[in-house]
Amino acid sequence: MDDMLALALAYGLLIALLLGHSILTALRMKDLDARLKAAVESMESASKVREGSDLSEE
Amino acid sequence: MSAADRAIPWLLGIGSLGLLVTVYLALVEAPAMGENAGFTAPEAYRILFIHVPFAWVSFTGFALLFGGSLAWYLRRSEAGWRLGVTGARLGLLYSLGVLISGPIWGAAEWGTPWDFSDVRLNTFAVLAGVALFVALGERNSEDTAEIRDSLSAVGIFGFGLVPLTYMATRWWQERHPGPVIGGGEDSGVDPFILQIWLIGAASMQILFIGQTLMTMRLLRMENEVEEMLTILEA
């Protein structure tokens, strides 16, 4: 293989390693953000259900 | 969103752009090095324009691992623990860059990708092993104070390899080239080559800061999700 082509490939792979890490971290953050929102929503609905059952008992 | 969080995309963008400039300078503008410059492979040396910045920046990762581990060990600091884990993950990432690019040059210039008698190569490989151990240990173990203590101890004592790796080419030079900056009268490098190294290192360092802030935020979010799930389960 041509030396310069091999070098360009190596550079491409090394930069893909760095940028790929950033992309994967960003995707993981997006996933966690969605899970956080879902957890907050289920906490809110759980507290509403509790409040409703407290009122009906009264 | 904090100022640090808002800075993340800028740091990642500027760092990536700087790296593309480095690639152009390394592959197009840098001159070929013939036998008169002491190289047997005239083009392969161009990989060093990314190998050296990878190595310099990887030490920042090991420094974060050391500082964070110390903060956890001495003060039980949560932020310190997150910093240590971030240092381990990024130290591993950047040392992988060193361990991939180095043997490419070694294979072309020395005729062998690795020399087990060279102290610099071996201490750096063990240092990468320390980062790998802490990064995997944190990910695959239960999150307890005892586990954190053990991993922090590895991070603290493993850092001893940093000065050893730095001094290795001064004390026992075998294959790896000697220091080009601050290495005495025989050291030194062409100003243009140094300029490309510095542009590469600065770009990579900016990218590293962005990745550090991003990883710290990720770890904080993971903690928040776990706390919420614990509350919901209760």
Side-chain angles (χ1 to χ4, degrees):
Chain A
M1 192 190 287
D2 177 58
D3 281 356
M4 291 306 287
L5 182 64
L7 275 167
L9 262 176
Y11 264 90
L13 281 171
L14 288 165
I15 286 175
L17 178 78
L18 278 185
L19 301 187
H21 179 271
S22 305
I23 292 166
L24 284 177
T25 309
L27 288 175
R28 174 98 180 108
M29 280 167 73
K30 205 175 160 190
D31 176 52
L32 278 174
D33 202 38
R35 285 177 66 186
L36 261 174
K37 276 181 188 154
V40 169
E41 275 170 19
S42 49
M43 275 176 91
E44 280 172 358
S45 61
S47 69
K48 273 181 192 166
V49 168
R50 252 199 314 273
E51 277 169 20
S53 64
D54 287 349
L55 283 173
S56 63
E57 276 174 20
E58 280 171 15
Chain B
M1 197 185 268
S2 68
D5 290 342
R6 278 197 303 274
I8 292 172
W10 287 100
L11 292 166
L12 296 180
I14 295 167
S16 305
L17 206 66
L19 275 182
L20 292 180
V21 173
T22 309
V23 174
Y24 169 76
L25 292 172
L27 297 182
V28 180
E29 295 294 330
M33 290 283 176
E35 277 178 20
N36 54 348
F39 286 92
T40 47
E43 301 292 357
Y45 96 99
R46 292 176 195 273
I47 197 79
L48 300 181
F49 289 116
I50 201 164
H51 173 79
V52 173
F54 259 126
W56 286 346
V57 177
S58 72
F59 284 104
T60 323
F62 300 133
L64 291 188
L65 170 59
F66 176 71
S69 300
L70 214 56
W72 165 257
Y73 212 81
L74 298 177
R75 296 184 175 187
R76 289 290 187 261
S77 159
E78 277 295 324
W81 171 250
R82 284 198 293 271
L83 191 70
V85 172
T86 302
R89 288 184 187 179
L90 294 180
L92 176 62
L93 176 70
Y94 282 81
S95 54
L96 268 178
V98 178
L99 294 173
I100 293 169
S101 57
I104 291 175
W105 184 66
E109 183 66 27
W110 305 333
T112 176
W114 197 266
D115 182 349
F116 286 97
S117 67
D118 189 288
V119 181
R120 163 64 73 87
L121 303 188
N122 295 323
T123 54
F124 190 86
V126 178
L127 204 46
V130 167
L132 176 72
F133 181 81
V134 177
L136 287 183
E138 181 271 332
R139 194 165 270 230
N140 298 325
S141 309
E142 207 179 326
D143 188 16
T144 63
E146 290 78 15
I147 296 282
R148 287 186 179 194
D149 284 347
S150 305
L151 294 175
S152 297
V154 173
I156 292 166
F157 287 106
F159 191 74
L161 284 165
V162 168
L164 193 65
T165 303
Y166 179 73
M167 294 306 291
T169 51
R170 289 168 169 82
W171 291 340
W172 314 281
Q173 194 190 352
E174 291 288 334
R175 290 257 197 192
H176 193 285
V180 289
I181 298 170
E185 284 176 11
D186 297 333
S187 72
V189 67
D190 178 84
F192 186 56
I193 288 177
L194 181 64
Q195 204 178 350
I196 304 175
W197 268 342
L198 292 177
I199 291 169
S203 309
M204 224 177 249
Q205 194 66 67
I206 291 168
L207 188 71
F208 179 91
I209 295 168
Q211 288 173 319
T212 300
L213 294 175
M214 194 157 71
T215 310
M216 293 280 282
R217 189 174 166 207
L218 176 78
L219 293 169
R220 224 170 32 237
M221 286 171 81
E222 279 176 351
N223 201 33
E224 280 171 17
V225 168
E226 260 176 46
E227 277 175 6
M228 284 225 172
L229 287 177
T230 314
I231 293 169
L232 276 172
E233 279 167 13

